[in-house]
Amino acid sequence: MSAIDRRGTLLFAPALAVFAIFFLIPVGFFFVVSFWQLKFYNLVPAFSFENYGEVYREYLHAGVFTFSIALTIATLTTVFAFLLAYLIRFRAGRFGPALLFVVMITLFGGYLVKIYAWKTILGTQGIVNTGLMAAGIIDEPIAWILYSPHAVVLTLVHFLLPFAVLPIYGALRGIADDPLEAARDIGASPFRVLVDIVLPQAMPGLIAGFALAFLISAGDYVTPRLVGGTSTFMVGNFIESQFVNRLNAPVGSALSFSVLAACLVTLAVATLLARRLLRSR
């Protein structure tokens, strides 16, 4: 190994050590624990697939509900993020940097602040119900607007939108103007330019934005608890309950890794379908 290679290895060593200590080792430990048993609130290192069997029997319905919500959130977030990034990159002109700055500044807003803001907006005394009552559309506040899956979708889409805009805008920034102008010169419609040139080159950003929104939504438990109500419990809430309320680390770990595996499979399938759709356009 040359001196340059050794120097590069030494530079990366602290980051790799932090990554191993605070991520790889804890993840590996809980993966092993997911095969253990809990007896009288004590961990028993007895290898068994019983925890994963319990996850399948008890939490399959919660997993299906969670993934349907997460897919909805990820799809809406990706679509809105692409429209906003496309506007900033191709349509806003000299106002593009200002719009991008507005999008980025929203990242400094706290996660809980945004949740409580939407909880106030959608509440019985919030602006939505107040506006509908002032317009004469309803006679009394609508209670189900807040504690419902719709509130969870709306809150998380709003929170995740800036995070999805970043990779999509980065991909759009890499598209040169010359191919777009050449396509227009030979008579290509705006739709063909979008489908044949923009979307294929923006695909890495779209996949990254979708994956980020999907993973965060699938694992979130704070938003469903605060704006979803008791009828919108997602897998994250059950994982929290296993670790905090039941002190059942084996089942909680098995549930966590089951969700992680399902997320990876879902993202792989979504990526494959998106690429095949573009190739068959």
Side-chain angles (χ1 to χ4, degrees), residues 136-180:
I137 299 177
I138 58 176
D139 296 326
E140 58 183 14
I142 303 176
W144 57 263
I145 293 180
L146 176 57
Y147 296 111
S148 66
H150 309 87
V152 175
V153 171
L154 182 60
T155 303
L156 283 177
V157 168
H158 171 249
F159 170 70
L160 295 170
L161 187 60
F163 295 96
V165 168
L166 279 175
I168 297 175
Y169 178 75
L172 294 179
R173 284 286 297 174
I175 301 176
D177 294 329
D178 294 340
L180 302 179

Short mmCIF file of all heavy atoms in Angstrom, two decimals, residues 136-180:
data_model
loop_
_atom_site.label_atom_id
_atom_site.label_comp_id
_atom_site.label_asym_id
_atom_site.label_seq_id
_atom_site.Cartn_x
_atom_site.Cartn_y
_atom_site.Cartn_z
N GLY A 136 -70.06 29.05 4.70
CA GLY A 136 -71.39 28.45 4.74
C GLY A 136 -71.44 27.05 4.19
O GLY A 136 -72.53 26.51 3.96
N ILE A 137 -70.26 26.41 3.99
CA ILE A 137 -70.23 25.06 3.43
C ILE A 137 -70.62 24.03 4.49
O ILE A 137 -71.29 23.04 4.19
CB ILE A 137 -68.84 24.76 2.86
CG1 ILE A 137 -68.51 25.75 1.72
CG2 ILE A 137 -68.75 23.33 2.34
CD1 ILE A 137 -67.13 25.60 1.15
N ILE A 138 -70.21 24.27 5.73
CA ILE A 138 -70.56 23.35 6.82
C ILE A 138 -71.17 24.17 7.96
O ILE A 138 -70.95 25.38 8.06
CB ILE A 138 -69.33 22.58 7.33
CG1 ILE A 138 -68.24 23.56 7.80
CG2 ILE A 138 -68.78 21.66 6.25
CD1 ILE A 138 -67.04 22.88 8.42
N ASP A 139 -71.96 23.50 8.80
CA ASP A 139 -72.61 24.17 9.93
C ASP A 139 -71.85 24.00 11.24
O ASP A 139 -72.00 24.80 12.15
CB ASP A 139 -74.04 23.64 10.10
CG ASP A 139 -74.91 23.96 8.89
OD1 ASP A 139 -74.71 25.03 8.28
OD2 ASP A 139 -75.77 23.12 8.55
N GLU A 140 -71.05 22.93 11.33
CA GLU A 140 -70.27 22.68 12.52
C GLU A 140 -68.91 22.10 12.11
O GLU A 140 -68.76 21.56 11.01
CB GLU A 140 -70.99 21.71 13.46
CG GLU A 140 -71.32 20.38 12.83
CD GLU A 140 -72.09 19.48 13.77
OE1 GLU A 140 -72.60 19.97 14.79
OE2 GLU A 140 -72.16 18.27 13.47
N PRO A 141 -67.90 22.23 12.97
CA PRO A 141 -66.56 21.75 12.61
C PRO A 141 -66.56 20.26 12.29
O PRO A 141 -67.29 19.46 12.88
CB PRO A 141 -65.73 22.05 13.86
CG PRO A 141 -66.48 23.14 14.55
CD PRO A 141 -67.93 22.89 14.28
N ILE A 142 -65.70 19.88 11.34
CA ILE A 142 -65.53 18.48 10.96
C ILE A 142 -64.38 17.91 11.77
O ILE A 142 -63.23 18.29 11.58
CB ILE A 142 -65.24 18.36 9.45
CG1 ILE A 142 -66.36 19.02 8.64
CG2 ILE A 142 -65.09 16.89 9.05
CD1 ILE A 142 -66.10 19.03 7.15
N ALA A 143 -64.70 16.97 12.64
CA ALA A 143 -63.68 16.46 13.57
C ALA A 143 -62.73 15.48 12.89
O ALA A 143 -61.55 15.40 13.26
CB ALA A 143 -64.36 15.78 14.75
N TRP A 144 -63.21 14.73 11.87
CA TRP A 144 -62.39 13.68 11.30
C TRP A 144 -61.28 14.21 10.38
O TRP A 144 -60.43 13.44 9.92
CB TRP A 144 -63.25 12.69 10.51
CG TRP A 144 -64.06 13.29 9.40
CD1 TRP A 144 -65.36 13.66 9.45
CD2 TRP A 144 -63.61 13.60 8.07
NE1 TRP A 144 -65.78 14.18 8.24
CE2 TRP A 144 -64.71 14.15 7.37
CE3 TRP A 144 -62.41 13.45 7.40
CZ2 TRP A 144 -64.62 14.55 6.05
CZ3 TRP A 144 -62.32 13.87 6.07
CH2 TRP A 144 -63.42 14.40 5.41
N ILE A 145 -61.26 15.50 10.11
CA ILE A 145 -60.19 16.04 9.27
C ILE A 145 -58.83 15.86 9.94
O ILE A 145 -57.83 15.56 9.30
CB ILE A 145 -60.44 17.53 8.96
CG1 ILE A 145 -61.67 17.68 8.07
CG2 ILE A 145 -59.23 18.15 8.27
CD1 ILE A 145 -61.98 19.11 7.71
N LEU A 146 -58.81 16.04 11.26
CA LEU A 146 -57.53 15.98 11.97
C LEU A 146 -57.09 14.55 12.22
O LEU A 146 -56.08 14.10 11.68
CB LEU A 146 -57.63 16.74 13.29
CG LEU A 146 -56.37 16.69 14.19
CD1 LEU A 146 -55.16 17.21 13.44
CD2 LEU A 146 -56.61 17.48 15.46
N TYR A 147 -57.81 13.81 13.02
CA TYR A 147 -57.35 12.49 13.41
C TYR A 147 -57.78 11.46 12.38
O TYR A 147 -58.77 10.75 12.55
CB TYR A 147 -57.89 12.15 14.81
CG TYR A 147 -57.36 13.08 15.87
CD1 TYR A 147 -58.18 14.00 16.51
CD2 TYR A 147 -56.01 13.05 16.21
CE1 TYR A 147 -57.68 14.85 17.48
CE2 TYR A 147 -55.50 13.90 17.18
CZ TYR A 147 -56.34 14.79 17.80
OH TYR A 147 -55.82 15.65 18.75
N SER A 148 -57.01 11.39 11.31
CA SER A 148 -57.33 10.51 10.20
C SER A 148 -56.06 10.24 9.38
O SER A 148 -55.07 10.97 9.52
CB SER A 148 -58.41 11.14 9.30
OG SER A 148 -57.89 12.31 8.67
N PRO A 149 -56.09 9.22 8.52
CA PRO A 149 -54.93 8.99 7.64
C PRO A 149 -54.64 10.17 6.72
O PRO A 149 -53.48 10.40 6.36
CB PRO A 149 -55.35 7.75 6.85
CG PRO A 149 -56.33 7.05 7.72
CD PRO A 149 -57.07 8.14 8.43
N HIS A 150 -55.70 10.92 6.34
CA HIS A 150 -55.47 12.08 5.47
C HIS A 150 -54.58 13.11 6.14
O HIS A 150 -53.74 13.73 5.48
CB HIS A 150 -56.82 12.71 5.09
CG HIS A 150 -57.82 11.73 4.56
ND1 HIS A 150 -58.66 11.02 5.40
CD2 HIS A 150 -58.12 11.34 3.31
CE1 HIS A 150 -59.44 10.23 4.68
NE2 HIS A 150 -59.13 10.40 3.39
N ALA A 151 -54.76 13.30 7.44
CA ALA A 151 -53.93 14.26 8.16
C ALA A 151 -52.48 13.80 8.19
O ALA A 151 -51.55 14.62 8.08
CB ALA A 151 -54.46 14.45 9.58
N VAL A 152 -52.26 12.50 8.35
CA VAL A 152 -50.89 11.96 8.35
C VAL A 152 -50.25 12.17 6.99
O VAL A 152 -49.08 12.59 6.89
CB VAL A 152 -50.91 10.46 8.71
CG1 VAL A 152 -49.51 9.86 8.60
CG2 VAL A 152 -51.45 10.27 10.13
N VAL A 153 -50.98 11.88 5.91
CA VAL A 153 -50.45 12.06 4.57
C VAL A 153 -50.10 13.52 4.32
O VAL A 153 -49.01 13.85 3.83
CB VAL A 153 -51.46 11.55 3.52
CG1 VAL A 153 -51.01 11.92 2.10
CG2 VAL A 153 -51.63 10.04 3.63
N LEU A 154 -51.01 14.41 4.65
CA LEU A 154 -50.79 15.84 4.42
C LEU A 154 -49.59 16.36 5.21
O LEU A 154 -48.73 17.08 4.67
CB LEU A 154 -52.05 16.62 4.80
CG LEU A 154 -52.02 18.14 4.57
CD1 LEU A 154 -51.80 18.45 3.09
CD2 LEU A 154 -53.32 18.77 5.05
N THR A 155 -49.49 15.97 6.46
CA THR A 155 -48.40 16.45 7.31
C THR A 155 -47.05 15.95 6.83
O THR A 155 -46.08 16.71 6.74
CB THR A 155 -48.63 16.01 8.76
OG1 THR A 155 -49.91 16.50 9.21
CG2 THR A 155 -47.54 16.54 9.67
N LEU A 156 -46.96 14.67 6.49
CA LEU A 156 -45.68 14.11 6.07
C LEU A 156 -45.28 14.58 4.68
O LEU A 156 -44.09 14.76 4.40
CB LEU A 156 -45.73 12.59 6.14
CG LEU A 156 -45.61 12.00 7.54
CD1 LEU A 156 -45.75 10.49 7.52
CD2 LEU A 156 -44.28 12.39 8.18
N VAL A 157 -46.24 14.78 3.79
CA VAL A 157 -45.89 15.32 2.46
C VAL A 157 -45.30 16.71 2.60
O VAL A 157 -44.30 17.05 1.97
CB VAL A 157 -47.13 15.33 1.54
CG1 VAL A 157 -46.87 16.16 0.29
CG2 VAL A 157 -47.51 13.91 1.14
N HIS A 158 -45.91 17.52 3.46
CA HIS A 158 -45.39 18.87 3.69
C HIS A 158 -43.99 18.82 4.31
O HIS A 158 -43.10 19.59 3.92
CB HIS A 158 -46.33 19.63 4.62
CG HIS A 158 -45.78 20.94 5.08
ND1 HIS A 158 -45.41 21.17 6.39
CD2 HIS A 158 -45.52 22.08 4.42
CE1 HIS A 158 -44.94 22.41 6.51
NE2 HIS A 158 -45.01 22.98 5.34
N PHE A 159 -43.78 17.91 5.25
CA PHE A 159 -42.48 17.83 5.90
C PHE A 159 -41.39 17.29 4.96
O PHE A 159 -40.25 17.78 4.98
CB PHE A 159 -42.59 16.92 7.13
CG PHE A 159 -41.27 16.57 7.75
CD1 PHE A 159 -40.51 17.52 8.42
CD2 PHE A 159 -40.76 15.28 7.65
CE1 PHE A 159 -39.28 17.21 8.97
CE2 PHE A 159 -39.54 14.95 8.20
CZ PHE A 159 -38.79 15.92 8.87
N LEU A 160 -41.73 16.31 4.13
CA LEU A 160 -40.73 15.64 3.29
C LEU A 160 -40.47 16.34 1.96
O LEU A 160 -39.47 16.03 1.30
CB LEU A 160 -41.18 14.20 3.01
CG LEU A 160 -41.24 13.28 4.24
CD1 LEU A 160 -41.93 11.98 3.88
CD2 LEU A 160 -39.84 13.02 4.77
N LEU A 161 -41.32 17.27 1.58
CA LEU A 161 -41.18 17.91 0.27
C LEU A 161 -39.81 18.54 0.05
O LEU A 161 -39.19 18.30 -1.00
CB LEU A 161 -42.30 18.94 0.09
CG LEU A 161 -42.40 19.58 -1.30
CD1 LEU A 161 -42.66 18.52 -2.36
CD2 LEU A 161 -43.52 20.62 -1.32
N PRO A 162 -39.28 19.35 0.96
CA PRO A 162 -37.96 19.94 0.71
C PRO A 162 -36.85 18.90 0.57
O PRO A 162 -35.93 19.08 -0.22
CB PRO A 162 -37.72 20.83 1.94
CG PRO A 162 -39.02 20.97 2.60
CD PRO A 162 -39.85 19.81 2.23
N PHE A 163 -36.94 17.80 1.33
CA PHE A 163 -35.93 16.76 1.23
C PHE A 163 -35.95 16.08 -0.14
O PHE A 163 -34.90 15.64 -0.63
CB PHE A 163 -36.15 15.72 2.33
CG PHE A 163 -35.95 16.25 3.72
CD1 PHE A 163 -37.03 16.68 4.48
CD2 PHE A 163 -34.69 16.33 4.28
CE1 PHE A 163 -36.85 17.17 5.76
CE2 PHE A 163 -34.50 16.81 5.56
CZ PHE A 163 -35.58 17.24 6.30
N ALA A 164 -37.13 15.94 -0.73
CA ALA A 164 -37.22 15.32 -2.04
C ALA A 164 -36.84 16.29 -3.15
O ALA A 164 -36.36 15.86 -4.21
CB ALA A 164 -38.64 14.79 -2.27
N VAL A 165 -37.05 17.58 -2.93
CA VAL A 165 -36.69 18.56 -3.96
C VAL A 165 -35.18 18.58 -4.20
O VAL A 165 -34.73 18.71 -5.35
CB VAL A 165 -37.19 19.97 -3.55
CG1 VAL A 165 -36.58 21.04 -4.45
CG2 VAL A 165 -38.70 20.04 -3.64
N LEU A 166 -34.40 18.43 -3.15
CA LEU A 166 -32.94 18.52 -3.27
C LEU A 166 -32.35 17.54 -4.28
O LEU A 166 -31.66 17.96 -5.21
CB LEU A 166 -32.30 18.34 -1.90
CG LEU A 166 -32.28 19.57 -0.99
CD1 LEU A 166 -31.72 19.20 0.38
CD2 LEU A 166 -31.45 20.67 -1.61
N PRO A 167 -32.56 16.22 -4.15
CA PRO A 167 -31.97 15.30 -5.14
C PRO A 167 -32.56 15.46 -6.54
O PRO A 167 -31.85 15.30 -7.54
CB PRO A 167 -32.25 13.92 -4.56
CG PRO A 167 -33.43 14.11 -3.67
CD PRO A 167 -33.29 15.48 -3.10
N ILE A 168 -33.85 15.78 -6.62
CA ILE A 168 -34.46 15.94 -7.94
C ILE A 168 -33.92 17.18 -8.63
O ILE A 168 -33.59 17.16 -9.82
CB ILE A 168 -36.00 16.00 -7.81
CG1 ILE A 168 -36.53 14.68 -7.26
CG2 ILE A 168 -36.64 16.31 -9.16
CD1 ILE A 168 -38.01 14.69 -6.98
N TYR A 169 -33.80 18.27 -7.90
CA TYR A 169 -33.24 19.49 -8.48
C TYR A 169 -31.78 19.27 -8.88
O TYR A 169 -31.32 19.77 -9.92
CB TYR A 169 -33.35 20.65 -7.51
CG TYR A 169 -32.74 21.93 -8.03
CD1 TYR A 169 -33.40 22.70 -8.99
CD2 TYR A 169 -31.50 22.36 -7.57
CE1 TYR A 169 -32.83 23.86 -9.48
CE2 TYR A 169 -30.93 23.53 -8.04
CZ TYR A 169 -31.60 24.27 -9.00
OH TYR A 169 -31.03 25.43 -9.49
N GLY A 170 -31.04 18.53 -8.06
CA GLY A 170 -29.66 18.22 -8.41
C GLY A 170 -29.56 17.45 -9.72
O GLY A 170 -28.66 17.71 -10.53
N ALA A 171 -30.48 16.50 -9.93
CA ALA A 171 -30.49 15.75 -11.19
C ALA A 171 -30.88 16.65 -12.36
O ALA A 171 -30.30 16.55 -13.45
CB ALA A 171 -31.45 14.57 -11.08
N LEU A 172 -31.85 17.54 -12.16
CA LEU A 172 -32.26 18.44 -13.23
C LEU A 172 -31.17 19.45 -13.57
O LEU A 172 -31.05 19.88 -14.73
CB LEU A 172 -33.54 19.18 -12.83
CG LEU A 172 -34.80 18.32 -12.67
CD1 LEU A 172 -35.98 19.19 -12.25
CD2 LEU A 172 -35.13 17.58 -13.96
N ARG A 173 -30.37 19.82 -12.60
CA ARG A 173 -29.27 20.75 -12.86
C ARG A 173 -28.24 20.13 -13.79
O ARG A 173 -27.52 20.84 -14.50
CB ARG A 173 -28.60 21.15 -11.55
CG ARG A 173 -29.37 22.15 -10.73
CD ARG A 173 -29.30 23.54 -11.33
NE ARG A 173 -27.94 24.06 -11.38
CZ ARG A 173 -27.62 25.21 -11.96
NH1 ARG A 173 -28.54 25.93 -12.56
NH2 ARG A 173 -26.36 25.62 -11.95
N GLY A 174 -28.15 18.81 -13.80
CA GLY A 174 -27.20 18.14 -14.67
C GLY A 174 -27.64 18.01 -16.11
O GLY A 174 -26.87 17.52 -16.95
N ILE A 175 -28.87 18.41 -16.40
CA ILE A 175 -29.38 18.33 -17.78
C ILE A 175 -28.96 19.58 -18.53
O ILE A 175 -29.30 20.70 -18.15
CB ILE A 175 -30.92 18.19 -17.79
CG1 ILE A 175 -31.33 16.93 -17.02
CG2 ILE A 175 -31.44 18.14 -19.21
CD1 ILE A 175 -32.82 16.76 -16.90
N ALA A 176 -28.22 19.40 -19.61
CA ALA A 176 -27.77 20.53 -20.41
C ALA A 176 -28.93 21.12 -21.20
O ALA A 176 -29.91 20.43 -21.53
CB ALA A 176 -26.65 20.10 -21.35
N ASP A 177 -28.83 22.41 -21.52
CA ASP A 177 -29.88 23.08 -22.27
C ASP A 177 -29.85 22.76 -23.76
O ASP A 177 -30.87 22.83 -24.44
CB ASP A 177 -29.77 24.60 -22.09
CG ASP A 177 -30.04 25.03 -20.65
OD1 ASP A 177 -30.84 24.35 -19.99
OD2 ASP A 177 -29.46 26.04 -20.21
N ASP A 178 -28.67 22.37 -24.27
CA ASP A 178 -28.53 22.14 -25.72
C ASP A 178 -29.43 21.02 -26.23
O ASP A 178 -30.12 21.19 -27.25
CB ASP A 178 -27.07 21.84 -26.05
CG ASP A 178 -26.17 23.05 -25.82
OD1 ASP A 178 -26.71 24.18 -25.76
OD2 ASP A 178 -24.95 22.86 -25.69
N PRO A 179 -29.49 19.84 -25.58
CA PRO A 179 -30.40 18.79 -26.08
C PRO A 179 -31.87 19.22 -26.06
O PRO A 179 -32.64 18.85 -26.96
CB PRO A 179 -30.15 17.62 -25.14
CG PRO A 179 -28.81 17.87 -24.58
CD PRO A 179 -28.68 19.35 -24.47
N LEU A 180 -32.24 20.01 -25.05
CA LEU A 180 -33.63 20.47 -24.98
C LEU A 180 -33.95 21.41 -26.13
O LEU A 180 -35.00 21.29 -26.78
CB LEU A 180 -33.86 21.18 -23.64
CG LEU A 180 -33.58 20.36 -22.38
CD1 LEU A 180 -33.83 21.22 -21.14
CD2 LEU A 180 -34.43 19.11 -22.33
#
